[in-house]
Amino acid sequence: MAIKQLTVLGATGSIGVSTLDVVARHPDRYSVFALTCHSQVELLAQQCRQFVPRYAVTSDKDQATKLQQSLADIPTEVLAGPQALCDVASADEVDMVMAAIVGAAGLLPTLAAAESGKRVLLANKESLVMAGNLFMQAVQRGGAELLPIDSEHNAIFQCLPEGYDHFDRAGVRKILLTGSGGPFRTTPLAELSAVTPDQACAHPNWSMGRKISVDSATMMNKGLELIEACWLFNVSPDWVEVVVHPQSVVHSMVEYVDGSVLAQLGNPDMRTPIAHAMAWPQRIESGVSSLDMVAAARLEFEVPDEQRFPSLRLARQAAAAGKDLAAALNAVNEVAVAAFLQGRLAFPRIAELVDQVLQQWQGSEPNSIEAVQASDQMARQKATELL
Ligand code: NAD
Ligand code: MG
């Protein structure tokens, strides 16, 4: 079996680190072609020493120069900037790209991987939310293999029949998209305006980057995942039901017309979906421990409280409206979450800001990536004005 060459976009983040943990377990299967990072250059340097990639990419040119000097004794070449991200995602030598940059910054390199026909391991859900139609066309055109890393979508993928192309033909009745409800599932509503970034990032089950942790606390993450599921599995939003499941053991379910419900279960550890998507259709060790069903004991399921989690309704509306509404929703959410993390915006204002911008949003069908980027910029500008 030929060794697969992997580029990890966002290698220093939570998903990037878990990916490299899986890679390190299988040196006979995977080798690292490129690693990229935004600001944690020291960690990137360590990773380069361990995996000796052909390329390392930083966002900033000065950082790249320093990193190149510190790596003088290994053959890794250091590049900088957004074009370099696209280049290492689309290089001929590359077989697989882990798309694990957070937010809209991940769009272009993820798209480059799709256009050039790679196996795209998609963690960066924001790129599908922003540009779902264009992204799926790029996957088709490039002949890419799109495999979901998001644990819910990976679970759904595992519960669908092999070669699945359409819900009706596969006999699917609906998708049950599970979400934990985050750290504030039972916090009195009146206390939400005083919660801190650290409280919001203290997820009860998952350890993740700060942006997605805040999204989990507002449940905008589940809203973005609803949109992600519609594109990945070619369905409209009414096929997808969100279910709150505080234990994060069932990662999502698929219900069939005969009444069967298939679920994928496991410990909440992203190395499972990462290893699944990397090796698919085979199975490999991920380092994740066995699920102890007896210790888990109780699995609970609830209807999401839309008063507590208005982001869910906003995302569902954007998904149903189509056009560039999801791109606008995503952009305003990124601005609002960043402001909350900097202590400039109260937690309940995140969803309010999204609502305010979307209520005034005209909406147009984006026919190019430039148009998506223009919508993204316009929504950011409107959100910043309202802050
Ligand atoms: P993180 O914040 O831990 O890491 C983000 C990575 O992106 C870092 O390597 C950082 O250097 C890089 N990055 C940030 N801004 C950048 C920019 N402007 N240009 C280039 N690189 C940049 O985030 P994470 O938790 O690993 O999440 C990554 C993606 O995976 C997100 O889209 C998230 O929604 C998705 N995801 C994460 C998890 C999880 O468990 N962490 C689960 C499902 C999906
Ligand atoms: Mg998820």
Side-chain angles (χ1 to χ4, degrees):
M1 188 183 60
I3 292 191
K4 299 269 191 263
Q5 298 279 332
L6 172 71
T7 284
V8 185
L9 302 169
T12 53
S14 164
I15 293 286
V17 167
S18 293
T19 302
L20 291 176
D21 182 280
V22 175
V23 169
R25 293 166 194 277
H26 303 281
D28 53 325
R29 282 180 169 261
Y30 307 110
S31 137
V32 178
F33 178 78
L35 297 173
T36 86
C37 89
H38 190 49
S39 55
Q40 283 183 278
V41 185
E42 309 243 306
L43 177 54
L44 187 71
Q46 278 175 33
Q47 293 176 334
C48 287
R49 293 203 169 278
Q50 187 179 352
F51 294 96
V52 197
R54 178 81 188 77
Y55 296 103
V57 184
T58 62
S59 294
D60 178 84
K61 276 216 163 64
D62 293 340
Q63 281 183 332
T65 311
K66 277 189 212 143
L67 181 63
Q68 185 73 78
Q69 284 160 0
S70 80
L71 297 179
D73 56 325
I74 62 169
T76 300
E77 190 177 327
V78 185
L79 310 171
Q83 183 56 46
L85 293 176
C86 294
D87 293 344
V88 298
S90 58
D92 285 345
E93 297 92 323
V94 173
D95 300 297
M96 293 195 283
V97 175
M98 169 55 78
I101 290 175
V102 60
L107 176 62
L108 292 184
T110 308
L111 204 58
E115 287 283 1
S116 50
K118 308 304 183 196
R119 174 173 289 201
V120 180
L121 311 169
L122 186 74
N124 177 245
K125 65 193 88 184
E126 293 92 340
S127 56
L128 209 45
V129 169
M130 289 174 75
N133 204 5
L134 296 163
F135 189 90
M136 295 310 284
Q137 285 172 17
V139 168
Q140 284 279 321
R141 223 178 13 246
E145 245 180 339
L146 183 59
L147 284 158
I149 295 298
D150 219 339
S151 55
E152 297 77 5
H153 306 73
N154 185 273
I156 294 160
F157 181 87
Q158 294 196 47
C159 295
L160 286 170
E162 176 113 35
Y164 149 86
D165 66 339
H166 193 280
F167 270 19
D168 283 331
R169 286 190 285 280
V172 173
R173 187 180 279 157
K174 65 180 171 189
I175 284 178
L176 297 150
L177 183 69
T178 56
S180 68
F184 305 138
R185 187 176 54 91
T186 58
T187 307
L189 288 179
E191 289 173 23
L192 289 182
S193 46
V195 298
T196 66
D198 283 345
Q199 286 173 309
C201 290
H203 196 280
N205 311 325
W206 297 94
S207 147
M208 310 181 285
R210 285 173 82 79
K211 192 259 175 182
I212 185 177
S213 295
V214 176
D215 285 348
S216 299
T218 59
M219 281 193 89
M220 180 55 95
N221 183 47
K222 216 46 56 184
L224 299 178
E225 289 183 357
L226 167 74
I227 301 170
E228 182 187 13
C230 292
W231 289 115
L232 279 174
F233 305 115
N234 190 22
V235 288
S236 60
D238 36 309
W239 287 77
V240 186
E241 184 178 325
V242 173
V243 181
V244 171
H245 166 47
Q247 291 80 16
S248 302
V249 166
V250 174
H251 297 308
S252 279
M253 299 172 266
V254 175
E255 181 178 330
Y256 287 86
V257 288
D258 61 5
S260 300
V261 179
L262 301 193
Q264 187 260 2
L265 282 69
N267 284 323
D269 186 323
M270 290 306 291
R271 291 176 302 176
T272 295
I274 290 167
H276 170 267
M278 283 175 66
W280 183 82
Q282 297 178 347
R283 297 272 180 177
I284 56 170
E285 279 283 347
S286 65
V288 177
S289 54
S290 288
L291 174 63
D292 185 342
M293 293 292 272
V294 176
R298 183 181 292 258
L299 300 180
E300 294 161 307
F301 300 93
E302 301 168 1
V303 175
D305 174 349
E306 296 230 341
Q307 201 194 343
R308 178 179 296 276
F309 301 116
S311 295
L312 269 181
R313 172 181 54 80
L314 296 171
R316 199 176 270 285
Q317 283 170 353
K323 299 182 184 167
D324 60 352
L325 271 88
L329 169 107
N330 178 67
V332 182
N333 181 57
E334 280 190 30
V335 172
V337 170
F340 168 70
L341 284 171
Q342 292 161 4
R344 294 191 288 123
L345 191 73
F347 182 80
R349 286 278 298 138
I350 299 174
E352 283 170 24
L353 200 68
V354 174
D355 197 8
Q356 268 176 297
V357 175
L358 285 198
Q359 277 196 22
Q360 297 164 15
W361 196 258
Q362 299 295 325
S364 58
E365 185 63 42
N367 292 316
S368 65
I369 286 300
E370 291 73 26
V372 171
Q373 287 173 315
S375 301
D376 174 90
Q377 283 308 318
M378 163 106 81
R380 280 172 203 270
Q381 196 185 325
K382 288 198 188 300
T384 310
E385 283 163 16
L386 288 168
L387 265 180

